[in-house]
DNA sequence: GTTAGGG
DNA sequence: CCCTAAC
């Protein structure tokens, strides 16, 4: 089996708006966090490996966006968004990212690459019947389909799913813009085979809805828009934000004036309907240490229903992008390369060294809810959507394999043994996205979901009813339902995204230094208020931390410093101020001590 | 909620 | 940047 990773969706590169934190209580459960991250990494890895990011080179969509260096862009297309209060009746589109390094993943033994049969796989999702939710029972299913690449037939149906009334989003009267990616966007697994010419790689039917017109718009199966009159949002301070963050859902609290050092866009936060999925986000770098992977793999114990579809992958914790999976029978090869020539080729699978080539055409990004102030920039909208998409992809997913609609649970069998490599079986091969068993829900309980939207019913974030989205394959129509991030109700669900790293600019450093010079090193809240009041993403803890690193930076040799160089003059001031205020602090302490002594 | 410090 | 302890 040879799979090539062609696209880097640029999860590393987009800017994430200041990330809401969980409630304190949630944060106190930080002990869960690591584990969950691991689990989600695992899921992501699965997705990346099987569902979304691996593909064969070869066919190429005329609509795909290639940069000169062969990389692709991954941005929310700007032309469909207007920086106005009204949203255009146009979908957002998601495109491959030009930050990608076009690295290639090859899974297989590396031999006989040309002796392959390429097929494309569609991965969809289904209703979550496994989770015993009545509501979910009614969900229509999405399916996956595998078909030979050589046919070149577009199998994507980009029709958007239907919204149930339960899909309403909260509208609290504030003139924010709610952008709802209607049900799903096709995330390109590769850049070809785009059935809908207007949307090069994938499309999300994004609409802007308000509370008032939810009922109308939410049922639309086409990109639809309804606009409301928008008014500027009142400025809301950090404390307000904090409270909001602790509330059941996230809200955007834009500032109308952006000055100071807050040269960032207005705060934009995606609203998720599912807490579990929502707060996890990919680390800025996806290359987790293998050590960490190991942990997560260990924790990925299959449950009964889940089957063992993940074992194969679980078996290779040592397997890195460029590493060998000794003992697993799988091998990953990194590097740039192309197998375009093999796409569509087909040779006997009976031969001993035959490879099975699979192309996963795309998988769907489910319904998203995004709330964004009208004062936000297009750029922030892009980032927000990207974040939302990423959060979903980073959710607890794993991959299941279906053959003729039947789950292949025995991971130890070879493709040959299971018949997957049989020529005539290729059509029957499917993949499913399923909840990661390690995060399997105990039960669905609304009360246990602090981030659930008010009057929201527990339901999977991703399982949007959408039967038209993908071509259905009867043989798999029942079992092949991909079960995507589900509404898990474990406490671990309240995981928060890690904020994106935002290096301090020189001007920020300048401001920080100046404020500390004036206020000292023990009054970070005052420093924040004084110099960073408008920089919403800089908390006083951030400032304190930055000062800490500044002091450290100033003490090390210039050669050891990294990042944007801070002018030596500033560093000198850092040391001076630090020394001064340290001294002051010591004096204060002495004074305090002597006073205490006197009193005694 | 802040501050301080380790991770 | 995160997490906690301590206040």
């Amino acid at each position: 089996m040879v799979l090539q990773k062609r696209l880097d969706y640029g999860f590393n590169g987009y800017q994430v708006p200041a990330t809401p934190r969980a409630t304190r209580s949630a944060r106190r459960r930080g002990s869960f966090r690591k584990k969950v991250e691991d689990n989600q990494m695992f899921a992501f890895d699965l997705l990346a490996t099987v569902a979304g990011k691996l593909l064969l080179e070869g066919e190429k969509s005329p609509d795909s966006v290639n940069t000169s260096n062969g990389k692709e862009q991954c941005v929310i297309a700007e032309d469909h968004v207007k920086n106005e209060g009204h949203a255009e009746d146009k979908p957002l589109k998601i495109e491959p990212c030009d930050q990608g390094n076009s690295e290639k993943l090859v899974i297989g033994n590396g031999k006989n690459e040309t002796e392959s049969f390429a097929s494309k796989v569609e991965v969809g999702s289904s209703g979550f019947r496994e989770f015993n939710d009545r509501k979910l029972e009614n969900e229509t299913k999405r399916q996956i389909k595998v078909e030979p690449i050589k046919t070149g037939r577009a199998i994507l149906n980009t029709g958007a799913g239907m919204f149930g009334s339960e899909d309403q989003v909260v509208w609290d009267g504030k003139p924010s813009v709610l952008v709802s990616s209607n049900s799903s966007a096709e995330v390109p697994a590769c850049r070809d085979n785009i059935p809908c010419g207007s949307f090069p790689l994938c499309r999300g039917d994004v609409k802007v809805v308000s509370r008032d017109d939810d009922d109308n718009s939410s049922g639309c199966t086409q990109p639809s828009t309804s606009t409301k009159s928008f008014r500027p949002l009142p400025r809301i301070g950090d404390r307000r934000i904090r409270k909001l963050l602790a509330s059941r859902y996230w809200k955007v609290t834009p500032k109308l004036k952006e000055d100071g050092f807050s040269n960032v866009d207005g705060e934009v936060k995606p609203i998720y309907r599912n807490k579990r999925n929502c707060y996890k986000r990919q680390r800025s770098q996806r290359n987790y240490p293998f050590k960490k992977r190991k942990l997560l793999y260990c924790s990925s114990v299959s449950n009964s229903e889940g089957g063992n579809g993940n074992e194969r992958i679980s078996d290779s914790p040592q397997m890195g992008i460029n590493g060998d999976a000794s003992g697993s029978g799988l091998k990953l090869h990194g590097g740039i390369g192309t197998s375009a020539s093999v796409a569509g080729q087909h040779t006997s699978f009976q031969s001993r060294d035959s490879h099975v080539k699979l192309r996963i055409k795309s998988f769907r990004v489910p319904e998203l809810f995004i709330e964004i102030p009208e004062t936000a920039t297009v750029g922030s909208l892009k980032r927000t959507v990207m974040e939302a998409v990423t959060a979903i992809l980073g959710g607890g997913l794993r991959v299941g394999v279906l053959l003729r609609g039947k789950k292949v649970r025995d991971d130890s069998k070879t493709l040959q043994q299971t018949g997957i490599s049989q020529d005539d079986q290729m059509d029957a091969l499917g993949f499913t996205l399923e909840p990661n068993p390690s995060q399997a829900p105990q039960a669905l309980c609304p009360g246990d979901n602090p981030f659930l939207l008010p009057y929201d019913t527990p339901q999977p974030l991703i399982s949007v009813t959408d039967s038209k989205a993908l071509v259905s394959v009867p043989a798999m129509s029942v079992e092949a339902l991909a079960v995507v991030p589900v509404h898990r109700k474990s406490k671990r669900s309240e995981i928060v995204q890690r904020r994106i790293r935002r290096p301090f600019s020189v001007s920020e450093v300048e401001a920080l230094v100046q404020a500390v010079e004036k206020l000292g090193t023990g009054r970070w809240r005052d420093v924040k208020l004084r110099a960073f009041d408008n920089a919403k993403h800089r908390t006083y803890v951030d400032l304190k931390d930055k000062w800490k690193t500044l002091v450290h930076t100033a003490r090390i040799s210039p050669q050891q410093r990294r990042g944007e160089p801070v002018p030596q003059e500033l560093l000198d001031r850092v040391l001076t101020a630090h020394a001064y205020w340290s001294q002051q602090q010591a004096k204060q302490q002495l004074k305090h001590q002597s006073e205490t002594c006197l009193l005694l």
Side-chain angles (χ1 to χ4, degrees):
Chain A
M1 177 187 294
V2 178
L3 298 181
Q4 292 178 348
K5 175 183 176 185
R6 277 293 303 280
L7 299 184
D8 181 327
Y9 290 103
F11 292 119
N12 302 342
Y14 63 93
Q15 282 265 308
V16 184
T19 306
R21 294 163 182 265
T23 60
R24 285 177 76 83
S25 61
R27 298 191 65 199
R28 287 195 181 106
R29 299 196 196 100
S31 55
F32 286 116
R33 176 172 176 145
K34 284 283 187 289
K35 207 165 191 177
V36 170
E37 280 186 1
D38 287 345
N39 287 335
Q40 289 175 332
M41 279 159 32
F42 172 57
F44 186 91
D45 287 345
L46 280 177
L47 263 178
T49 305
V50 180
K53 298 171 74 173
L54 301 184
L55 68 152
L56 285 171
E57 285 204 24
E59 294 176 12
K60 190 169 154 185
S61 166
D63 289 321
S64 64
V65 182
N66 278 323
T67 57
S68 54
N69 57 2
K71 298 170 182 176
E72 298 184 357
Q73 295 187 343
C74 186
V75 294
I76 307 301
E78 196 159 355
D79 51 331
H80 290 306
V81 185
K82 291 214 172 169
N83 192 16
E84 291 157 13
H86 306 301
E88 292 298 301
D89 184 9
K90 287 181 182 175
L92 299 182
K93 62 184 178 184
I94 302 174
E95 304 157 354
C97 187
D98 65 356
Q99 298 190 23
N101 52 8
S102 296
E103 72 183 278
K104 180 178 77 173
L105 264 182
V106 178
I107 302 177
N109 61 14
K111 295 182 293 182
N112 293 331
E113 290 201 3
T114 55
E115 283 190 323
S116 316
F117 180 82
S119 74
K120 49 192 175 185
V121 182
E122 274 208 37
V123 180
S125 64
S126 78
F128 296 61
R129 15 173 54 190
E130 300 178 25
F131 293 88
N132 196 28
D133 184 325
R134 271 177 262 108
K135 208 172 252 303
L136 302 180
E137 288 277 322
N138 295 327
E139 301 269 346
T140 52
K141 289 89 187 171
R142 280 186 248 153
Q143 296 150 20
I144 63 173
K145 178 169 183 177
V146 180
E147 65 180 65
I149 276 176
K150 55 185 177 184
T151 67
R153 182 158 62 95
I155 57 175
L156 294 183
N157 180 329
T158 55
M162 299 287 292
F163 275 71
S165 58
E166 67 275 14
D167 286 313
Q168 290 177 356
V169 291
V170 169
W171 177 257
D172 61 356
K174 290 196 175 62
S176 297
V177 180
L178 284 169
V179 179
S180 165
S181 166
N182 188 352
S183 127
S184 50
E186 296 285 350
V187 171
C190 61
R191 54 188 165 190
D192 54 357
N193 186 33
I194 302 306
C196 178
S198 57
F199 304 105
L201 288 154
C202 71
R203 59 179 285 183
D205 296 322
V206 178
K207 62 184 175 184
V208 174
V209 297
S210 73
R211 175 84 228 145
D212 302 353
D213 53 28
D214 260 355
D215 291 342
N216 299 329
S217 59
S218 60
C220 294
T221 57
Q222 302 162 351
S224 65
T225 306
S226 42
T227 53
K228 296 284 298 178
S229 62
F230 295 98
R231 295 174 302 281
L233 274 176
R235 174 180 160 156
I236 304 174
D238 282 354
R239 290 171 191 262
R240 161 89 169 128
I241 291 176
R242 218 162 275 140
K243 279 182 180 163
L244 285 166
L245 298 183
S247 68
R248 287 179 168 255
Y249 58 95
W250 301 346
K251 207 126 188 52
V252 180
T253 57
K255 286 182 178 181
L256 293 183
K257 93 182 163 188
E258 287 285 340
D259 53 18
F261 300 95
S262 53
N263 52 350
V264 291
D265 300 311
E267 200 87 27
V268 179
K269 296 180 176 71
I271 294 184
Y272 301 93
R273 300 163 57 76
N274 178 307
K275 60 179 181 180
R276 187 193 61 73
N277 233 13
C278 312
Y279 303 103
K280 175 67 194 88
R281 91 154 217 254
Q282 287 65 43
R283 294 270 179 176
S284 56
Q285 299 293 329
R286 269 279 155 207
N287 47 348
Y288 296 94
F290 296 163
K291 205 184 202 173
K292 215 169 182 182
R293 293 188 179 202
K294 208 159 194 168
L295 278 178
L296 80 91
Y297 290 127
C298 290
S299 62
S300 304
V301 182
S302 298
N303 61 13
S304 53
E305 169 57 18
N308 304 313
N310 60 337
E311 268 183 33
R312 186 64 164 193
I313 300 177
S314 314
D315 278 343
S316 50
Q318 335 73 321
M319 179 168 60
I321 292 299
N322 301 312
D324 289 344
S326 53
S328 74
L330 289 177
K331 217 166 187 177
L332 295 179
H333 304 276
I336 312 287
T338 176
S339 66
S341 59
V342 297
Q345 288 193 16
H346 167 216
T347 54
S348 167
F349 285 91
Q350 317 305 330
S351 68
R352 259 187 80 196
D353 288 317
S354 285
H355 292 193
V356 180
K357 289 199 173 185
L358 304 174
R359 186 206 314 249
I360 296 170
K361 299 304 296 184
S362 70
F363 58 91
R364 297 178 70 87
V365 173
E367 174 184 15
L368 299 174
F369 287 93
I370 294 168
E371 183 172 356
I372 184 171
E374 60 180 328
T375 53
T377 63
V378 171
S380 64
L381 173 61
K382 292 177 182 178
R383 290 192 295 271
T384 303
V385 174
M386 193 62 211
E387 182 190 24
V389 170
T390 303
I392 286 172
L393 297 184
L397 299 178
R398 62 154 195 219
V399 171
V401 173
L402 297 139
L403 191 58
R404 271 161 283 147
K406 211 175 165 190
K407 270 191 180 174
V408 180
R409 299 175 187 276
D410 189 350
D411 290 346
S412 60
K413 282 188 179 172
T414 67
L415 299 185
Q416 220 168 21
Q417 288 170 334
T418 56
I420 287 178
S421 59
Q422 300 290 315
D423 188 6
D424 56 355
Q425 307 288 358
M426 290 308 281
D427 280 336
L429 177 60
F431 293 100
T432 60
L433 300 182
E434 304 165 348
N436 191 324
S438 65
Q439 297 175 37
Q442 333 270 309
L444 292 170
C445 171
D448 199 44
N449 192 341
F451 294 104
L452 213 54
L453 299 180
Y455 66 77
D456 195 9
T457 317
Q459 70 170 260
L461 171 65
I462 291 195
S463 168
V464 178
T465 62
D466 185 353
S467 54
K468 314 193 300 180
L470 297 173
V471 171
S472 79
V473 180
M476 310 179 201
S477 55
V478 176
E479 274 211 72
L481 312 175
V483 184
V484 202
V486 111
H487 194 69
R488 308 255 159 82
K489 83 154 262 168
S490 69
K491 311 228 156 145
R492 308 182 260 187
S493 319
E494 303 153 18
I495 294 316
V496 191
Q497 287 181 311
R498 184 190 175 95
R499 291 190 298 158
I500 193 174
R501 183 173 176 273
R502 284 168 143 153
F504 277 69
S505 65
V506 171
S507 59
E508 281 181 305
V509 170
E510 162 84 38
L512 177 59
V513 169
Q514 190 171 316
V516 173
E517 283 173 340
K518 183 92 175 177
L519 299 173
T521 53
R523 302 166 59 192
W524 298 110
R525 184 173 175 275
D526 292 335
V527 170
K528 156 76 179 171
L529 262 39
R530 178 191 182 91
F532 290 82
D533 197 23
N534 291 310
K536 297 184 293 281
H537 58 293
R538 302 293 189 200
T539 69
Y540 48 74
V541 175
D542 293 333
L543 302 180
K544 183 260 302 178
D545 288 342
K546 179 56 184 177
W547 184 261
K548 181 171 65 177
T549 61
L550 272 178
V551 171
H552 178 256
T553 300
R555 286 171 172 166
I556 62 177
S557 69
Q559 292 77 29
Q560 301 177 66
R561 297 169 191 165
R562 292 183 299 177
E564 187 182 9
V566 178
Q568 188 59 42
E569 174 258 336
L570 276 179
L571 292 177
D572 292 341
R573 287 167 65 189
V574 166
L575 287 184
T576 304
H578 189 261
Y580 174 79
W581 286 107
S582 296
Q583 191 184 346
Q584 292 296 310
Q585 217 166 26
K587 280 183 183 174
Q588 269 312 348
Q589 253 171 14
L590 278 178
K591 195 175 168 185
H592 195 271
Q593 272 180 12
S594 59
E595 280 174 358
T596 307
C597 286
L598 283 178
L599 285 175
L600 294 176

